[in-house]
Amino acid sequence: MSLSETPAYSRLIRSAAIFLGTALLSINTLAATTGPAPELNLPTRNGQISLSDMRGKVVLLDFWASWCGPCRQSFPWMNDMQAKYRNQGFEVVAVNLDQDPGAAAAFLEKIPADFTVAYDPDGETPQAYEVMGMPSAYLIDRNGFIHSQHIGFHNDRKDKYEADIRSLLRTEQN
């Protein structure tokens, strides 16, 4: 039996994977990315949505999946932000990455979304955004540029997330 076939080696690899996954999920806000946000054109329950159609609005683009624990915490907050800032030009778009549409439907039945939910079961959009964990949120300014991003959802950072939204809402479109 080679080393890679031993139970101890398997446990080590699993532990390393869990550690790496946890480390990635605990990253808060990454440095602002320059350049335009990658375009998306995805189905929703009511048709299609594209990022270019939202030019002139501040967009919180959130990637989520039904199995994601922190997503259960972020949805009520995103509902609150959508209700609070919609009239100022703010839109939440949550992109579901489940391959099974039933899993997303069951999640949304328990935790409703009062914002746009788009579906990307093939995972093309998160590749374009280089998503590293769930949930991953990208705050996009009125001109279509990524202002900031965060991986995971942390209740103790909600004030910071909201301050970023307010800051972009005060900024005029160029």
Side-chain angles (χ1 to χ4, degrees):
M1 178 184 301
S2 72
L3 176 62
S4 64
E5 296 172 329
T6 65
Y9 183 79
S10 294
R11 283 192 302 274
L12 175 66
I13 294 300
R14 274 196 307 273
S15 295
I18 289 168
F19 172 78
L20 180 59
T22 302
L24 288 175
L25 288 175
S26 66
I27 295 172
N28 179 24
T29 302
L30 302 177
T33 304
T34 59
E39 181 57 81
L40 62 86
N41 191 359
L42 296 171
T44 69
R45 286 180 258 170
N46 303 318
Q48 292 282 121
I49 190 162
S50 72
L51 194 57
S52 59
D53 289 343
M54 291 182 275
R55 190 66 47 96
K57 296 183 178 189
V58 172
V59 178
L60 179 68
L61 181 64
D62 182 76
F63 292 92
W64 68 283
S66 63
W67 48 262
C68 167
C71 297
R72 296 177 196 286
Q73 296 175 348
S74 68
F75 267 57
W77 178 81
M78 290 189 298
N79 282 333
D80 290 346
M81 294 299 100
Q82 181 68 73
K84 191 172 184 178
Y85 297 110
R86 172 180 276 144
N87 292 337
Q88 295 177 42
F90 178 68
E91 291 291 329
V92 174
V93 177
V95 179
N96 177 263
L97 303 177
D98 286 305
Q99 292 179 338
D100 173 15
F107 178 101
L108 292 169
E109 199 170 292
K110 291 178 186 170
I111 306 169
D114 298 328
F115 45 80
T116 301
V117 175
Y119 299 92
D120 188 357
D122 297 328
E124 293 175 16
T125 309
Q127 283 182 350
Y129 280 83
E130 299 178 2
V131 170
M132 294 187 292
M134 294 291 150
S136 283
Y138 297 79
L139 190 57
I140 301 168
D141 70 19
R142 295 179 189 274
N143 296 307
F145 286 79
I146 296 174
H147 171 268
S148 61
Q149 70 183 97
H150 63 265
I151 299 171
F153 182 79
H154 306 275
N155 279 315
D156 61 338
R157 297 180 184 142
K158 290 190 297 189
D159 290 342
K160 167 72 172 114
Y161 301 156
E162 185 173 358
D164 285 346
I165 292 167
R166 281 194 315 267
S167 173
L168 287 181
L169 287 171
R170 286 190 297 265
T171 305
E172 293 295 319
Q173 183 177 2
N174 292 332

